């Protein structure tokens, strides 16, 4: 490594350590809100700007066979949404993953289900209608396979030729969806435990 790169690295490391040393975040417990007062058997949550409002909305999954909770952020004040998907879709929900699978500029939602269910169940894929509301859609192998699914992760890669590769990992199963020109091709790959 030449001297110039060593010096730049040393300066960057010093500045980063100073920023970390002086960053002392303070947290205040927030009570008596629609979120803090809501009762449920919650296991996983997902934050995302589902309305493109510039504020993060919150979806919390109920693992007991009950209903999910959806809170829309209105400049720091949350409103609980009680109608439509995914809140009226009772099941053993576990985790949610936001991602724009159809590249329309709005975060869609994938929710896993079944990890604590007595019987195998289906994951859910919801298309964002552009206003923060969702429509349940079939995701082929992503939603048609019965199972006991747990945590999920959704990633997207955009290549230089503008192909979008999205993938979901749910428990020990990885599903890869390749999207081009509004068509989705799915391929399933079984991961070893």
């Amino acid at each position: 490594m030449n001297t110039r790169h060593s010096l730049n690295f040393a300066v960057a490391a010093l500045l980063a350590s100073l920023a970390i040393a002086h960053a002392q975040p303070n947290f205040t417990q927030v009570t008596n809100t629609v979120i803090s007062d809501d009762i449920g058997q919650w296991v996983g949550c997902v934050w995302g700007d589902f309305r493109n409002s510039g504020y993060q909305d919150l979806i919390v999954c109920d693992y007991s066979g009950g209903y999910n909770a959806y809170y829309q952020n209105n400049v720091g004040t949350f409103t609980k949404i009680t109608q439509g998907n995914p809140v009226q879709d009772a099941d053993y929900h576990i985790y949610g993953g936001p991602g724009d699978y159809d590249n329309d500029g709005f975060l869609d939602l994938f929710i896993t289900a079944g990890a604590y269910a007595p019987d195998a169940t289906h994951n859910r894929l919801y298309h964002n209608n552009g206003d923060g509301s969702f429509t349940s859609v079939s995701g082929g192998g992503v939603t048609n396979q019965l199972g006991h699914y747990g945590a999920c992760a959704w990633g997207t890669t955009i290549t230089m030729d503008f192909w979008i590769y999205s993938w979901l990992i749910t428990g020990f199963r990885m599903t890869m969806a390749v999207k081009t020109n509004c068509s989705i091709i799915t391929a399933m790959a079984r991961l070893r435990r």
Side-chain angles (χ1 to χ4, degrees):
M1 184 184 281
N2 70 32
T3 306
R4 181 176 177 201
H5 291 296
S6 298
L7 182 60
N8 288 342
F9 178 76
V11 170
L14 176 65
L15 291 175
S17 65
L18 288 174
I20 291 170
H22 292 295
Q24 305 246 343
N26 294 316
F27 293 95
T28 303
Q29 184 176 2
V30 178
T31 59
N32 299 320
T33 68
V34 67
I35 296 174
S36 63
D37 293 344
D38 209 351
I39 297 173
Q41 294 185 16
W42 317 115
V43 65
C45 70
V46 57
W47 291 91
D49 186 2
F50 296 109
R51 297 174 297 144
N52 287 355
S53 65
Y55 298 95
Q56 297 291 305
D57 304 310
L58 174 65
I59 295 175
V60 185
C61 297
D62 184 297
Y63 70 91
S64 67
Y67 299 98
N68 297 317
Y70 178 20
Y71 307 97
Q72 288 184 343
N73 187 345
N74 300 301
V75 193
T77 302
F78 289 87
T79 302
K80 184 174 183 177
I81 304 303
T82 58
Q83 301 296 314
N85 290 314
V87 298
Q88 290 185 322
D89 188 4
D91 205 340
Y92 293 85
H93 302 287
I94 304 300
Y95 283 97
D100 186 6
Y101 78 83
D102 59 352
N103 202 31
D104 64 357
F106 294 95
L107 286 176
D108 304 303
L109 180 64
F110 179 77
I111 295 183
T112 60
Y116 301 106
D119 298 310
T121 187
H122 296 278
N123 294 319
R124 305 295 195 284
L125 180 62
Y126 301 100
H127 178 262
N128 189 326
N129 298 323
D131 59 359
S133 66
F134 296 93
T135 300
S136 182
V137 296
S138 172
V142 176
T143 57
N144 294 340
Q145 298 279 335
L146 284 172
H148 296 274
Y149 299 101
C152 70
W154 184 324
T156 302
T157 302
I158 303 174
T159 62
M160 293 307 291
D161 56 0
F162 298 104
W163 285 55
I164 298 174
Y165 298 89
S166 296
W167 61 91
L168 290 164
I169 299 175
T170 59
F172 292 105
R173 180 183 302 268
M174 181 175 79
T175 303
M176 181 175 177
V178 180
K179 180 199 175 297
T180 61
N181 297 327
C182 298
S183 63
I184 297 176
I185 304 166
T186 59
M188 299 295 292
R190 185 63 118 166
L191 297 180
R192 294 185 179 218
R193 292 180 186 233

Tab-separated table of all heavy atoms in Angstrom, residues 38-80:
chain	number	residue	atom	x	y	z
A	38	ASP	N	-51.049	-1.310	21.944
A	38	ASP	CA	-51.673	-2.408	21.197
A	38	ASP	C	-51.246	-3.750	21.794
A	38	ASP	O	-50.071	-3.966	22.075
A	38	ASP	CB	-51.273	-2.336	19.721
A	38	ASP	CG	-52.334	-2.922	18.813
A	38	ASP	OD1	-53.294	-3.537	19.318
A	38	ASP	OD2	-52.193	-2.769	17.584
A	39	ILE	N	-52.215	-4.629	21.989
A	39	ILE	CA	-51.940	-5.932	22.592
A	39	ILE	C	-52.011	-7.002	21.519
A	39	ILE	O	-52.932	-7.026	20.701
A	39	ILE	CB	-52.964	-6.228	23.703
A	39	ILE	CG1	-52.811	-5.197	24.816
A	39	ILE	CG2	-52.774	-7.638	24.250
A	39	ILE	CD1	-53.871	-5.293	25.884
A	40	GLY	N	-51.029	-7.884	21.519
A	40	GLY	CA	-50.999	-8.978	20.564
A	40	GLY	C	-49.847	-9.899	20.880
A	40	GLY	O	-49.069	-9.644	21.799
A	41	GLN	N	-49.743	-10.965	20.142
A	41	GLN	CA	-48.625	-11.881	20.296
A	41	GLN	C	-47.689	-11.653	19.111
A	41	GLN	O	-47.706	-12.385	18.129
A	41	GLN	CB	-49.137	-13.314	20.375
A	41	GLN	CG	-49.954	-13.513	21.631
A	41	GLN	CD	-50.379	-14.946	21.826
A	41	GLN	OE1	-49.847	-15.851	21.209
A	41	GLN	NE2	-51.347	-15.151	22.698
A	42	TRP	N	-46.895	-10.591	19.217
A	42	TRP	CA	-46.070	-10.116	18.122
A	42	TRP	C	-44.728	-10.822	18.126
A	42	TRP	O	-44.158	-11.085	19.158
A	42	TRP	CB	-45.862	-8.602	18.234
A	42	TRP	CG	-47.093	-7.841	18.587
A	42	TRP	CD1	-47.318	-7.125	19.718
A	42	TRP	CD2	-48.286	-7.724	17.813
A	42	TRP	NE1	-48.566	-6.564	19.690
A	42	TRP	CE2	-49.189	-6.917	18.534
A	42	TRP	CE3	-48.695	-8.229	16.584
A	42	TRP	CZ2	-50.455	-6.595	18.068
A	42	TRP	CZ3	-49.961	-7.913	16.114
A	42	TRP	CH2	-50.827	-7.105	16.849
A	43	VAL	N	-44.214	-11.082	16.930
A	43	VAL	CA	-42.903	-11.723	16.846
A	43	VAL	C	-41.953	-10.957	15.936
A	43	VAL	O	-40.809	-10.772	16.262
A	43	VAL	CB	-43.018	-13.200	16.402
A	43	VAL	CG1	-43.540	-13.311	15.005
A	43	VAL	CG2	-41.690	-13.912	16.522
A	44	GLY	N	-42.387	-10.496	14.801
A	44	GLY	CA	-41.512	-9.803	13.866
A	44	GLY	C	-42.153	-8.530	13.367
A	44	GLY	O	-43.377	-8.403	13.334
A	45	CYS	N	-41.320	-7.581	12.987
A	45	CYS	CA	-41.860	-6.327	12.453
A	45	CYS	C	-41.049	-5.907	11.236
A	45	CYS	O	-39.943	-6.382	11.013
A	45	CYS	CB	-41.853	-5.236	13.506
A	45	CYS	SG	-40.216	-4.645	13.950
A	46	VAL	N	-41.622	-5.029	10.470
A	46	VAL	CA	-40.944	-4.498	9.297
A	46	VAL	C	-41.281	-3.007	9.184
A	46	VAL	O	-42.438	-2.610	9.334
A	46	VAL	CB	-41.332	-5.259	8.006
A	46	VAL	CG1	-42.819	-5.234	7.764
A	46	VAL	CG2	-40.597	-4.712	6.802
A	47	TRP	N	-40.250	-2.210	8.982
A	47	TRP	CA	-40.412	-0.781	8.743
A	47	TRP	C	-40.237	-0.534	7.252
A	47	TRP	O	-39.363	-1.111	6.620
A	47	TRP	CB	-39.354	0.023	9.502
A	47	TRP	CG	-39.518	0.020	10.981
A	47	TRP	CD1	-38.969	-0.866	11.855
A	47	TRP	CD2	-40.276	0.935	11.755
A	47	TRP	NE1	-39.340	-0.548	13.142
A	47	TRP	CE2	-40.139	0.560	13.110
A	47	TRP	CE3	-41.066	2.052	11.448
A	47	TRP	CZ2	-40.749	1.247	14.154
A	47	TRP	CZ3	-41.665	2.741	12.493
A	47	TRP	CH2	-41.518	2.350	13.814
A	48	GLY	N	-41.052	0.334	6.684
A	48	GLY	CA	-40.918	0.699	5.276
A	48	GLY	C	-41.812	1.881	4.947
A	48	GLY	O	-42.873	2.052	5.545
A	49	ASP	N	-41.400	2.669	4.006
A	49	ASP	CA	-42.213	3.811	3.559
A	49	ASP	C	-43.181	3.304	2.495
A	49	ASP	O	-42.950	3.453	1.298
A	49	ASP	CB	-41.312	4.915	3.017
A	49	ASP	CG	-42.083	6.182	2.673
A	49	ASP	OD1	-43.315	6.217	2.880
A	49	ASP	OD2	-41.452	7.139	2.187
A	50	PHE	N	-44.265	2.695	2.931
A	50	PHE	CA	-45.201	2.042	2.019
A	50	PHE	C	-46.075	3.020	1.244
A	50	PHE	O	-46.758	2.631	0.306
A	50	PHE	CB	-46.074	1.046	2.787
A	50	PHE	CG	-45.281	-0.086	3.374
A	50	PHE	CD1	-45.071	-0.174	4.739
A	50	PHE	CD2	-44.719	-1.053	2.559
A	50	PHE	CE1	-44.325	-1.205	5.278
A	50	PHE	CE2	-43.960	-2.089	3.085
A	50	PHE	CZ	-43.772	-2.159	4.456
A	51	ARG	N	-46.086	4.295	1.622
A	51	ARG	CA	-46.884	5.301	0.910
A	51	ARG	C	-46.024	6.322	0.174
A	51	ARG	O	-46.540	7.278	-0.387
A	51	ARG	CB	-47.801	6.025	1.902
A	51	ARG	CG	-48.800	5.100	2.559
A	51	ARG	CD	-49.606	5.789	3.639
A	51	ARG	NE	-48.706	6.227	4.703
A	51	ARG	CZ	-48.863	7.358	5.395
A	51	ARG	NH1	-49.870	8.151	5.137
A	51	ARG	NH2	-48.024	7.683	6.345
A	52	ASN	N	-44.705	6.134	0.228
A	52	ASN	CA	-43.769	7.110	-0.340
A	52	ASN	C	-44.020	8.514	0.220
A	52	ASN	O	-43.942	9.507	-0.493
A	52	ASN	CB	-43.829	7.119	-1.870
A	52	ASN	CG	-43.176	5.899	-2.467
A	52	ASN	OD1	-42.597	5.082	-1.762
A	52	ASN	ND2	-43.268	5.755	-3.770
A	53	SER	N	-44.297	8.567	1.526
A	53	SER	CA	-44.567	9.836	2.195
A	53	SER	C	-43.304	10.460	2.776
A	53	SER	O	-43.326	11.610	3.213
A	53	SER	CB	-45.574	9.609	3.329
A	53	SER	OG	-45.000	8.766	4.324
A	54	GLY	N	-42.219	9.679	2.800
A	54	GLY	CA	-40.999	10.149	3.431
A	54	GLY	C	-40.899	9.714	4.884
A	54	GLY	O	-39.923	10.029	5.553
A	55	TYR	N	-41.910	9.003	5.386
A	55	TYR	CA	-41.924	8.529	6.765
A	55	TYR	C	-42.094	7.016	6.790
A	55	TYR	O	-42.836	6.450	5.990
A	55	TYR	CB	-43.056	9.199	7.562
A	55	TYR	CG	-42.872	10.694	7.648
A	55	TYR	CD1	-43.499	11.533	6.740
A	55	TYR	CD2	-42.037	11.252	8.609
A	55	TYR	CE1	-43.306	12.906	6.807
A	55	TYR	CE2	-41.841	12.616	8.677
A	55	TYR	CZ	-42.479	13.437	7.772
A	55	TYR	OH	-42.288	14.786	7.827
A	56	GLN	N	-41.424	6.375	7.744
A	56	GLN	CA	-41.441	4.922	7.848
A	56	GLN	C	-42.719	4.434	8.528
A	56	GLN	O	-43.032	4.836	9.646
A	56	GLN	CB	-40.223	4.443	8.654
A	56	GLN	CG	-38.898	4.761	8.003
A	56	GLN	CD	-38.682	3.950	6.748
A	56	GLN	OE1	-38.746	2.733	6.761
A	56	GLN	NE2	-38.441	4.635	5.646
A	57	ASP	N	-43.455	3.581	7.835
A	57	ASP	CA	-44.631	2.926	8.393
A	57	ASP	C	-44.171	1.631	9.060
A	57	ASP	O	-43.052	1.166	8.849
A	57	ASP	CB	-45.647	2.628	7.282
A	57	ASP	CG	-46.031	3.885	6.513
A	57	ASP	OD1	-46.375	4.892	7.146
A	57	ASP	OD2	-45.971	3.864	5.272
A	58	LEU	N	-45.041	1.014	9.860
A	58	LEU	CA	-44.680	-0.171	10.625
A	58	LEU	C	-45.733	-1.261	10.451
A	58	LEU	O	-46.928	-0.995	10.572
A	58	LEU	CB	-44.561	0.190	12.115
A	58	LEU	CG	-44.328	-0.945	13.107
A	58	LEU	CD1	-42.980	-1.613	12.867
A	58	LEU	CD2	-44.427	-0.417	14.535
A	59	ILE	N	-45.262	-2.478	10.167
A	59	ILE	CA	-46.132	-3.649	10.133
A	59	ILE	C	-45.565	-4.655	11.126
A	59	ILE	O	-44.370	-4.949	11.107
A	59	ILE	CB	-46.228	-4.254	8.721
A	59	ILE	CG1	-46.909	-3.255	7.792
A	59	ILE	CG2	-46.978	-5.581	8.749
A	59	ILE	CD1	-46.974	-3.659	6.350
A	60	VAL	N	-46.427	-5.158	12.027
A	60	VAL	CA	-46.021	-6.101	13.058
A	60	VAL	C	-46.799	-7.391	12.856
A	60	VAL	O	-48.016	-7.369	12.661
A	60	VAL	CB	-46.279	-5.531	14.469
A	60	VAL	CG1	-45.733	-6.464	15.533
A	60	VAL	CG2	-45.665	-4.149	14.610
A	61	CYS	N	-46.096	-8.521	12.880
A	61	CYS	CA	-46.706	-9.827	12.609
A	61	CYS	C	-47.134	-10.520	13.900
A	61	CYS	O	-46.391	-10.554	14.872
A	61	CYS	CB	-45.710	-10.717	11.871
A	61	CYS	SG	-45.244	-10.057	10.260
A	62	ASP	N	-48.333	-11.092	13.874
A	62	ASP	CA	-48.878	-11.853	14.993
A	62	ASP	C	-48.687	-13.336	14.702
A	62	ASP	O	-49.159	-13.838	13.691
A	62	ASP	CB	-50.354	-11.531	15.171
A	62	ASP	CG	-50.957	-12.224	16.377
A	62	ASP	OD1	-50.980	-13.475	16.386
A	62	ASP	OD2	-51.405	-11.532	17.294
A	63	TYR	N	-48.005	-14.040	15.581
A	63	TYR	CA	-47.670	-15.447	15.337
A	63	TYR	C	-48.673	-16.426	15.924
A	63	TYR	O	-48.489	-17.632	15.825
A	63	TYR	CB	-46.274	-15.760	15.878
A	63	TYR	CG	-46.165	-15.755	17.384
A	63	TYR	CD1	-46.356	-16.923	18.115
A	63	TYR	CD2	-45.862	-14.592	18.062
A	63	TYR	CE1	-46.256	-16.923	19.500
A	63	TYR	CE2	-45.752	-14.585	19.434
A	63	TYR	CZ	-45.952	-15.745	20.147
A	63	TYR	OH	-45.849	-15.728	21.514
A	64	SER	N	-49.756	-15.952	16.514
A	64	SER	CA	-50.662	-16.844	17.236
A	64	SER	C	-51.867	-17.292	16.419
A	64	SER	O	-52.772	-17.904	16.959
A	64	SER	CB	-51.163	-16.130	18.493
A	64	SER	OG	-51.997	-15.034	18.116
A	65	GLY	N	-51.877	-16.979	15.143
A	65	GLY	CA	-53.057	-17.265	14.329
A	65	GLY	C	-53.970	-16.060	14.232
A	65	GLY	O	-55.060	-16.128	13.694
A	66	GLY	N	-53.505	-14.942	14.750
A	66	GLY	CA	-54.292	-13.708	14.748
A	66	GLY	C	-53.968	-12.816	13.563
A	66	GLY	O	-53.467	-13.265	12.535
A	67	TYR	N	-54.221	-11.545	13.747
A	67	TYR	CA	-54.083	-10.569	12.677
A	67	TYR	C	-52.821	-9.727	12.837
A	67	TYR	O	-52.398	-9.423	13.950
A	67	TYR	CB	-55.296	-9.636	12.653
A	67	TYR	CG	-56.582	-10.367	12.396
A	67	TYR	CD1	-57.416	-10.738	13.443
A	67	TYR	CD2	-56.948	-10.701	11.102
A	67	TYR	CE1	-58.596	-11.425	13.200
A	67	TYR	CE2	-58.127	-11.386	10.850
A	67	TYR	CZ	-58.944	-11.746	11.904
A	67	TYR	OH	-60.104	-12.420	11.666
A	68	ASN	N	-52.240	-9.344	11.711
A	68	ASN	CA	-51.097	-8.428	11.711
A	68	ASN	C	-51.574	-7.033	12.093
A	68	ASN	O	-52.756	-6.717	11.993
A	68	ASN	CB	-50.461	-8.372	10.321
A	68	ASN	CG	-49.914	-9.709	9.903
A	68	ASN	OD1	-49.286	-10.405	10.672
A	68	ASN	ND2	-50.158	-10.090	8.660
A	69	ALA	N	-50.647	-6.192	12.510
A	69	ALA	CA	-50.951	-4.789	12.799
A	69	ALA	C	-50.189	-3.919	11.802
A	69	ALA	O	-49.033	-4.186	11.495
A	69	ALA	CB	-50.539	-4.441	14.228
A	70	TYR	N	-50.856	-2.887	11.295
A	70	TYR	CA	-50.256	-1.981	10.309
A	70	TYR	C	-50.471	-0.560	10.807
A	70	TYR	O	-51.596	-0.136	11.039
A	70	TYR	CB	-50.918	-2.213	8.959
A	70	TYR	CG	-50.464	-1.342	7.807
A	70	TYR	CD1	-49.259	-0.661	7.808
A	70	TYR	CD2	-51.261	-1.221	6.678
A	70	TYR	CE1	-48.864	0.112	6.737
A	70	TYR	CE2	-50.869	-0.453	5.587
A	70	TYR	CZ	-49.675	0.215	5.622
A	70	TYR	OH	-49.284	0.987	4.562
A	71	TYR	N	-49.370	0.165	11.007
A	71	TYR	CA	-49.424	1.536	11.507
A	71	TYR	C	-48.814	2.459	10.462
A	71	TYR	O	-47.650	2.316	10.111
A	71	TYR	CB	-48.637	1.663	12.818
A	71	TYR	CG	-49.042	0.662	13.870
A	71	TYR	CD1	-48.313	-0.514	14.042
A	71	TYR	CD2	-50.138	0.885	14.691
A	71	TYR	CE1	-48.675	-1.438	15.003
A	71	TYR	CE2	-50.508	-0.040	15.648
A	71	TYR	CZ	-49.770	-1.196	15.803
A	71	TYR	OH	-50.129	-2.120	16.748
A	72	GLN	N	-49.603	3.405	9.993
A	72	GLN	CA	-49.084	4.377	9.030
A	72	GLN	C	-48.580	5.595	9.790
A	72	GLN	O	-49.247	6.101	10.693
A	72	GLN	CB	-50.159	4.781	8.024
A	72	GLN	CG	-50.464	3.681	7.037
A	72	GLN	CD	-51.457	4.101	5.977
A	72	GLN	OE1	-52.175	5.086	6.114
A	72	GLN	NE2	-51.503	3.344	4.898
A	73	ASN	N	-47.393	6.047	9.411
A	73	ASN	CA	-46.730	7.167	10.063
A	73	ASN	C	-47.165	8.457	9.398
A	73	ASN	O	-46.932	8.684	8.218
A	73	ASN	CB	-45.214	6.988	9.950
A	73	ASN	CG	-44.439	8.007	10.725
A	73	ASN	OD1	-44.953	9.032	11.146
A	73	ASN	ND2	-43.157	7.731	10.914
A	74	ASN	N	-47.800	9.324	10.179
A	74	ASN	CA	-48.235	10.631	9.704
A	74	ASN	C	-47.418	11.696	10.426
A	74	ASN	O	-47.871	12.278	11.398
A	74	ASN	CB	-49.730	10.824	9.959
A	74	ASN	CG	-50.551	9.777	9.248
A	74	ASN	OD1	-50.495	9.660	8.039
A	74	ASN	ND2	-51.283	8.972	10.007
A	75	VAL	N	-46.193	11.904	9.987
A	75	VAL	CA	-45.260	12.888	10.542
A	75	VAL	C	-45.030	12.640	12.036
A	75	VAL	O	-45.132	13.546	12.853
A	75	VAL	CB	-45.732	14.334	10.274
A	75	VAL	CG1	-44.620	15.329	10.573
A	75	VAL	CG2	-46.221	14.508	8.858
A	76	GLY	N	-44.776	11.379	12.396
A	76	GLY	CA	-44.471	11.049	13.774
A	76	GLY	C	-45.644	10.584	14.607
A	76	GLY	O	-45.476	10.111	15.713
A	77	THR	N	-46.849	10.737	14.106
A	77	THR	CA	-48.042	10.231	14.775
A	77	THR	C	-48.554	9.057	13.956
A	77	THR	O	-48.756	9.182	12.751
A	77	THR	CB	-49.133	11.321	14.855
A	77	THR	OG1	-48.602	12.440	15.547
A	77	THR	CG2	-50.357	10.795	15.575
A	78	PHE	N	-48.767	7.929	14.603
A	78	PHE	CA	-49.150	6.716	13.887
A	78	PHE	C	-50.656	6.490	13.929
A	78	PHE	O	-51.303	6.750	14.940
A	78	PHE	CB	-48.426	5.500	14.476
A	78	PHE	CG	-46.964	5.488	14.166
A	78	PHE	CD1	-46.059	6.138	14.987
A	78	PHE	CD2	-46.486	4.837	13.038
A	78	PHE	CE1	-44.707	6.138	14.699
A	78	PHE	CE2	-45.141	4.826	12.734
A	78	PHE	CZ	-44.248	5.476	13.570
A	79	THR	N	-51.179	6.003	12.815
A	79	THR	CA	-52.585	5.627	12.694
A	79	THR	C	-52.651	4.135	12.427
A	79	THR	O	-51.991	3.643	11.506
A	79	THR	CB	-53.259	6.383	11.523
A	79	THR	OG1	-53.122	7.787	11.750
A	79	THR	CG2	-54.716	5.993	11.400
A	80	LYS	N	-53.453	3.411	13.205
A	80	LYS	CA	-53.594	1.972	13.001
A	80	LYS	C	-54.580	1.725	11.868
A	80	LYS	O	-55.701	2.223	11.877
A	80	LYS	CB	-54.078	1.278	14.279
A	80	LYS	CG	-54.135	-0.224	14.119
A	80	LYS	CD	-54.459	-0.918	15.419
A	80	LYS	CE	-54.425	-2.430	15.216
A	80	LYS	NZ	-54.664	-3.137	16.481
